[in-house]
Amino acid sequence: MPDVFLPGNLVRIKDFQFEDGSSRNKYLFVLLRDGTAAYVISSLATSQNKLDVAATKSGCYYDRRISTYYHFPAGEVIGTGDFYFDKETYIFFRDNVRKIPVTDLSQYASNTDPFAIAHVATLSNEELKKLLQCVVTSTFTPEDLKTELTSFKDSL
């Protein structure tokens, strides 16, 4: 299997296991890769606008109630390829930017299901910079991750 856990990649994992023990299909944005680990946005990408935020274009927004969040309009192609979300999609940053060993992510690969892990798009450097900037300005991103992500963003 090719290495899909590279910076800027949007990856779909079938039956992703969450910290609470639940599992479902999940999209992950890979923000950074440092040898054996990938920094990913692991949860809370949702088409549900339960917080009633106002976003119209793709990009980072600020709401005083929830800090920063990122919005992808429905039907707008993300990065390379033809992938887009069918519904308005939001990333609300709440303890969901994590460093995960690539071996843990690769465990989802399956010999019986070639689509268990799928690379669906790659963000351009400019798009990745915008997403990283949004992540590092969130009050919910841990300081140590902010430092590493900022350094990477500045190197792009």
Side-chain angles (χ1 to χ4, degrees):
M1 179 177 106
D3 188 358
V4 298
F5 301 110
L6 298 174
N9 282 356
L10 175 60
V11 179
R12 185 197 49 79
I13 296 181
K14 186 175 182 180
D15 298 325
F16 182 81
Q17 186 82 32
F18 292 88
E19 295 84 18
D20 67 1
S22 66
S23 65
R24 69 176 184 274
N25 294 348
K26 190 67 198 154
Y27 288 100
L28 303 176
F29 277 101
V30 181
L31 302 173
L32 174 61
R33 171 80 178 267
D34 75 351
T36 61
Y39 296 68
V40 299
I41 300 173
S42 63
S43 60
L44 298 179
T46 180
S47 61
Q48 305 298 311
N49 188 359
K50 293 179 182 176
L51 298 173
D52 195 32
V53 295
T56 54
K57 298 185 291 184
S58 179
C60 188
Y61 290 83
Y62 175 80
D63 183 291
R64 63 178 172 73
R65 299 171 296 154
I66 58 171
S67 188
T68 59
Y69 65 95
Y70 207 88
H71 173 251
F72 296 98
E76 186 175 298
V77 173
I78 297 173
T80 61
D82 298 325
F83 179 80
Y84 58 87
F85 291 110
D86 292 333
K87 298 178 180 179
E88 301 291 313
T89 299
Y90 306 86
I91 301 173
F92 299 108
F93 304 108
R94 293 224 186 251
D95 303 323
N96 59 340
V97 177
R98 299 187 301 141
K99 185 176 181 178
I100 302 175
V102 173
T103 54
D104 289 0
L105 294 169
S106 297
Q107 76 177 343
Y108 294 100
S110 166
N111 292 333
T112 59
D113 184 355
F115 301 107
I117 298 177
H119 169 251
V120 296
T122 300
L123 299 176
S124 70
N125 277 358
E126 283 306 309
E127 290 172 300
L128 179 56
K129 280 181 175 182
K130 289 178 192 176
L131 180 57
L132 285 165
Q133 182 62 36
C134 199
V135 171
V136 301
T137 57
S138 172
T139 57
F140 296 103
T141 302
E143 287 302 318
D144 59 331
L145 292 182
K146 283 184 183 185
T147 301
E148 292 180 73
L149 294 174
T150 299
S151 178
F152 176 64
K153 176 184 66 70
D154 293 345
S155 76
L156 291 176

